[in-house]
């Protein structure tokens, strides 16, 4: 996790409930319609029966018996877009190293900057090659360099009760020829779907 799933085996005239807690007796906070797809499950209980999803400005639990993996590459391979964002200052970036070959970074009140993908390293640490502890990806444009450090860790946007499972620290050099070591850092969360 995280991963993208679709709703399966739900009758056309029914819905799949999103519950406040992982229990059939828990209050319903949202619904998913039959056939809904590209639903991001941020994490699941160890027994795999319940998965955590975002719904509106909050997050809740769905019964995984009615969810099917969409078969997309793992998030850490960077073979599909990651939508990352943060606050103070407000910023967002789309990182798509495999298909578009780069990163589009936008800070509120500033021009968008495009970077090309350079390299990626996986830190397996106590993880495995199939579930790395962290990932670092390097990007560059003619004026600046950037490294994005991702971890599979719980993350919140600070403005809602939504829960994300990929954190990012983005470190970018400043376009300052007089100080080639100057940089700025941005911390935030990433999602497999556009927030």
């Amino acid at each position: 996790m995280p991963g993208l799933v679709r709703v399966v085996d739900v009758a056309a005239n029914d819905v799949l409930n999103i519950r406040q807690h992982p229990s059939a007796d828990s209050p319903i906070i949202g619904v998913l319609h039959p056939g809904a797809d590209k639903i991001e499950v941020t994490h699941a209980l160890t027994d795999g029966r319940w998965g955590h999803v975002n719904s509106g400005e909050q997050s809740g639990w769905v019964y995984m018996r009615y969810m099917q993996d969409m078969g997309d590459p793992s998030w850490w391979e960077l073979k599909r877009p990651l939508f990352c964002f943060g606050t103070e200052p407000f910023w967002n970036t789309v990182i798509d190293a495999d298909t578009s070959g780069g990163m589009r970074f936008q800070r509120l009140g500033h021009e968008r900057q495009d970077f090309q993908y350079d390299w990626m390293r996986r830190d397996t640490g106590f993880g495995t090659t199939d579930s790395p502890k962290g990932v670092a990806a390097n990007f560059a444009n003619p004026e600046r360099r950037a490294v994005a450090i991702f971890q599979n860790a719980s993350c919140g946007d600070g403005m809602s009760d939504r829960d994300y499972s990929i954190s990012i620290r983005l470190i970018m050099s400043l376009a300052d020829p007089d100080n080639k070591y100057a940089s700025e850092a941005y911390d935030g969360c990433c999602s497999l779907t556009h927030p």
Side-chain angles (χ1 to χ4, degrees):
M1 298 293 172
L4 294 179
V5 297
R6 69 172 53 92
V7 177
V8 295
D9 299 331
V10 174
N13 62 348
D14 201 357
V15 294
L16 177 61
N17 294 320
I18 302 172
R19 297 193 177 268
Q20 189 172 16
H21 303 287
S23 165
D25 298 330
S26 181
I28 297 169
I29 63 166
V31 297
L32 295 171
H33 295 281
D37 62 1
K38 296 183 181 175
I39 300 157
E40 183 176 6
V41 177
T42 59
H43 59 278
L45 296 182
T46 53
D47 64 10
R49 292 178 54 207
W50 290 89
H52 204 245
V53 299
N54 288 315
S55 174
E57 293 297 308
Q58 56 191 340
S59 57
W61 297 87
V62 293
Y63 196 58
M64 292 300 288
R65 152 70 180 83
Y66 298 102
M67 296 297 215
Q68 179 182 59
D69 187 347
M70 294 188 65
D72 293 319
S74 298
W75 70 268
W76 48 265
E77 295 180 71
L78 301 184
K79 292 188 174 183
R80 59 178 171 189
L82 283 180
F83 302 92
C84 306
F85 51 90
T87 58
E88 297 181 25
F90 285 94
W91 63 273
N92 67 76
T93 186
V94 178
I95 294 175
D96 195 0
D98 194 56
T99 54
S100 73
M103 174 177 78
R104 296 181 302 277
F105 177 82
Q106 178 74 55
R107 181 176 164 187
L108 186 65
H110 293 76
E111 282 188 39
R112 186 181 95 185
Q113 297 179 45
D114 295 333
F115 292 79
Q116 290 299 306
Y117 173 63
D118 194 3
W119 53 259
M120 178 182 75
R121 290 215 177 28
R122 289 189 289 259
D123 173 15
T124 54
F126 292 107
T128 66
T129 54
D130 291 335
S131 182
K133 182 179 173 185
V135 174
N138 198 63
F139 301 88
N141 67 26
E143 298 167 351
R144 302 178 77 179
R145 296 196 64 78
V147 62
I149 303 164
F150 306 96
Q151 289 190 303
N152 194 321
S154 183
C155 185
D157 61 17
M159 299 183 311
S160 72
D161 290 328
R162 293 173 66 91
D163 184 39
Y164 302 94
S165 58
I166 305 168
S167 67
I168 181 174
R169 169 159 272 202
L170 182 60
I171 302 168
M172 301 172 65
S173 66
L174 298 180
D176 182 354
D178 296 327
N179 187 353
K180 64 180 182 178
Y181 299 107
S183 62
E184 55 193 7
Y186 299 90
D187 291 307
C189 304
C190 298
S191 177
L192 303 177
T193 60
H194 198 281

